[in-house]
């Protein structure tokens, strides 16, 4: 079956193209032990652009995409954030992106395999049609689809379940690992038993929280921490001006403070962070994608003794001096992805949110006329919206709601 879509290829000049592609439908499994199933046909309705899409384009430019292609193919249809219409089931759905021959695709081991629709070994949503394992089509809440159309405000929010679910997973990891890191000294300090101390410690680790970087992931992790831990002290650090719409929106959502990082010397940024928090950070979350985040945490001392460092950035190399690291008892971890239950919870939380306000739309015809130009000059450029999406099929969108 042929359909029109955007796809990546190894090509130094045109790594991203739009045109006809032959769809494939290999049997896939959601989890280890489950049967392989043929995909069922779905039609993308609205699709969001992710930083991963831009990185895949650059990988194609460098000729590095071969491991990402579906088996037997020399291209990858991208796109992993959005809503699809499933004609065989007469419903809208959100695609659960990651599956494979693994007990838990977010934590796969050496003898397990995984795939990701639109990212890794499986075609994605920037196409007229896609085949999806039927067990990986998640329900949307009631009330947002009427007469076969989705409310535009709701559709915009549904380009976020993937990154929002990632942040729910980050919250879980910080609570699990952070409370395990602290609970014995918490028990002694509070004079309680160890089980009770674990519950206290899961809250205490957010006493002074730095979120270094203010993209959508930074915004989301601040939001989920605030909702789960109302007494958390949260500080965003970013380059945008204090009065910018992005900063105003993020700080309102997370009820957070803000430090604008215009410092020439990272040591000065660390001092400003400590002053704004009223002490050194108990938790430092790096989401900026820059090397300076770990330098500010470790070398310049923004992270306090017994603090946890959550590395969510892709690209930077994290380093630290082993002498203070060992004696200051820091905990460093990194873990990306999410489980199905995180995504299902994300869908519900996003439906009640205001996140449609930060989504800008690009016209489909403009995008498909020259997708590389759109990436470089409309979607991933200075002055672009925090999030850009494209309505792939206007017949399924109610623009009045």
């Amino acid at each position: 079956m042929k359909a029109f879509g955007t796809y990546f290829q190894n090509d130094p000049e045109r790594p991203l193209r739009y045109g006809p592609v032959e769809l494939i439908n290999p049997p896939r499994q959601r989890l280890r032990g489950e049967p392989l199933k043929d995909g069922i046909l779905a039609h993308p309705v609205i699709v969001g652009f992710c930083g991963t899409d831009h990185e895949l384009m650059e990988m194609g430019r460098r000729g590095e995409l071969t491991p990402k292609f579906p088996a037997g193919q020399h291209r990858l249809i991208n796109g992993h954030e959005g809503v699809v219409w499933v004609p065989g089931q007469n419903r809208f759905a959100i695609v659960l992106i990651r599956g494979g021959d693994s007990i838990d695709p977010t934590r796969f081991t050496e003898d397990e395999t995984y795939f990701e629709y639109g990212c890794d070994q499986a075609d994605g949503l920037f196409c007229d049609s896609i085949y999806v394992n039927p067990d990986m089509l998640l329900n949307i809440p009631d009330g947002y689809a009427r007469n076969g159309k989705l409310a535009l405000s709701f559709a915009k929010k549904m380009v976020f379940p993937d990154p929002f679910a990632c942040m729910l997973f980050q919250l879980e990891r910080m609570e699990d690992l952070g409370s395990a890191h602290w609970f014995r000294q918490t028990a002694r300090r509070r004079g309680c038993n160890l089980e009770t101390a674990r519950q206290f410690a899961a809250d205490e680790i957010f006493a002074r929280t730095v979120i270094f970087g203010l993209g959508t992931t930074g915004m989301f992790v601040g939001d989920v921490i605030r909702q789960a831990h109302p007494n958390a002290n949260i500080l965003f650090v970013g380059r945008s001006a204090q009065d910018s719409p992005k900063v105003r929106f993020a700080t309102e959502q997370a009820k957070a403070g803000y430090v604008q990082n215009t410092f020439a010397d990272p040591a000065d940024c660390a001092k400003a962070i400590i002053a704004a928090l009223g002490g050194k950070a108990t938790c430092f979350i790096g989401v900026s994608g820059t090397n300076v985040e770990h330098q500010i945490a470790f070398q310049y001392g923004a992270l306090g003794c017994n603090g946890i460092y959550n590395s969510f950035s892709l690209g930077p190399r994290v380093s630290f001096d082993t002498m203070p690291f060992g004696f200051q008892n820091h905990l460093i971890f990194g873990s990306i992805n999410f489980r199905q239950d995180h995504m299902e919870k994300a869908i519900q939380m996003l439906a009640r949110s205001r996140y449609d306000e930060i989504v800008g739309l690009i016209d489909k015809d403009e995008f498909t006329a020259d997708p590389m130009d759109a990436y470089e000059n409309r979607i991933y450029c200075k002055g672009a919206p925090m999030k850009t999406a494209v309505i792939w099929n206007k017949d399924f969108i109610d623009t009045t709601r």
Side-chain angles (χ1 to χ4, degrees):
M1 175 179 174
K2 285 190 181 299
F4 278 81
T6 64
Y7 57 91
F8 292 122
Q9 59 185 0
N10 286 322
D11 187 317
E13 301 298 327
R14 301 294 295 178
L16 174 63
R17 291 177 180 262
Y18 173 78
V21 289
E22 186 70 35
L23 299 182
I24 58 173
N25 189 16
R28 301 187 186 278
Q29 63 188 135
R30 184 179 69 109
L31 293 171
R32 175 165 286 193
E34 295 183 354
L36 290 164
K37 292 186 177 181
D38 291 336
I40 62 174
L41 193 67
H43 302 308
V45 175
I46 187 170
V47 192
F49 298 89
C50 173
T52 300
D53 296 308
H54 187 268
E55 177 57 25
L56 288 169
M57 182 178 75
E58 294 303 314
M59 290 175 67
R61 205 189 300 270
R62 298 190 300 264
E64 299 171 352
L65 277 181
T66 299
K68 300 287 188 183
F69 294 146
Q73 303 297 309
H74 299 284
R75 55 97 186 111
L76 171 70
I77 300 171
N78 64 309
H80 57 279
E81 300 177 344
V83 186
V84 299
W85 170 255
V86 189
Q89 299 178 350
N90 196 38
R91 69 180 180 100
F92 293 101
I94 307 291
V95 178
L96 175 64
I97 296 303
R98 184 178 256 218
D101 181 23
S102 56
I103 294 170
D104 178 352
T106 67
R107 306 285 291 281
F108 70 96
T109 61
E110 289 80 4
D111 68 332
E112 298 179 333
T113 60
Y114 72 93
F115 68 89
E116 292 182 338
Y117 288 112
C119 293
D120 207 324
Q121 305 169 63
D123 289 328
L125 277 68
F126 281 113
C127 195
D128 296 337
S129 301
I130 177 178
Y131 286 103
V132 182
N133 180 313
D135 297 331
M136 299 176 69
L137 291 164
L138 306 182
N139 294 325
I140 66 169
D142 294 334
Y144 296 100
R146 297 178 191 169
N147 303 316
K149 293 190 175 186
L150 278 180
L152 176 59
S153 59
F154 173 77
K156 285 183 175 181
K157 298 172 189 177
M158 291 302 109
V159 301
F160 290 126
D162 178 300
F164 203 88
C166 277
M167 294 306 104
L168 288 170
F169 183 47
Q170 293 306 302
L171 174 66
E172 179 183 280
R173 293 286 285 166
M174 288 185 286
E175 291 172 335
D176 288 352
L177 296 176
S179 62
H181 186 53
W182 278 27
F183 77 107
R184 294 187 184 278
Q185 61 98 351
T186 297
R188 179 159 296 193
R189 176 166 34 82
R190 289 180 174 265
C192 60
N193 62 47
L194 296 181
E195 182 177 350
T196 302
R198 281 294 294 259
Q199 297 172 19
F200 282 128
D203 191 58
E204 290 175 348
I205 59 173
F206 300 109
R208 292 184 298 276
T209 301
V210 174
I211 300 171
F212 197 92
L214 192 52
T216 51
T217 51
M219 182 182 294
F220 291 158
V221 76
D223 189 358
V224 300
I225 289 172
R226 173 61 65 206
Q227 293 192 52
H229 300 275
N231 296 321
N233 181 3
I234 301 171
L235 181 72
F236 289 115
V237 182
R239 294 195 174 276
S240 299
Q242 178 89 40
D243 61 352
S244 68
K246 175 172 73 171
V247 173
R248 289 201 305 268
F249 186 91
T251 53
E252 287 173 8
Q253 287 292 106
K255 298 180 177 63
Y258 183 70
V259 166
Q260 184 181 8
N261 183 16
T262 57
F263 302 97
D265 188 342
D268 292 331
C269 183
K271 291 175 184 176
I273 288 170
I274 294 168
L277 285 173
K280 293 194 173 189
T282 55
C283 179
F284 193 109
I285 305 166
V287 290
S288 72
T290 63
N291 279 313
V292 73
E293 59 190 26
H294 73 90
Q295 295 168 354
I296 288 172
F298 300 118
Q299 183 178 348
Y300 299 106
L303 184 64
C305 288
N306 305 302
I308 66 170
Y309 183 90
N310 180 356
S311 175
F312 195 79
S313 292
L314 294 176
R317 291 180 177 269
V318 176
S319 63
F320 50 87
D321 185 339
T322 55
M323 178 66 80
F325 169 73
F327 285 97
Q328 291 174 3
N329 199 33
H330 290 143
L331 169 66
I332 302 174
F333 72 93
S335 189
I336 296 174
N337 287 308
F338 52 83
R339 296 189 306 274
Q340 179 173 335
D341 59 299
H342 293 124
M343 197 156 188
E344 290 169 338
K345 184 176 181 179
I347 292 167
Q348 296 291 333
M349 293 175 71
L350 286 164
R352 303 188 296 267
S353 78
R354 298 169 45 207
Y355 283 114
D356 55 306
E357 297 176 21
I358 63 170
V359 179
L361 296 175
I362 185 171
D363 181 76
K364 181 186 176 184
D365 290 339
E366 178 187 355
F367 170 57
T368 57
D370 191 340
M372 286 189 62
D373 180 73
Y375 269 42
E376 293 168 346
N377 297 307
R378 284 289 310 278
I379 300 166
Y380 305 104
C381 64
K382 187 175 182 179
M386 278 202 74
K387 186 73 169 183
T388 302
V390 57
I391 298 174
W392 203 263
N393 194 321
K394 294 180 180 179
D395 293 341
F396 292 106
I397 295 292
D398 180 356
T399 58
T400 67
R401 293 193 292 141

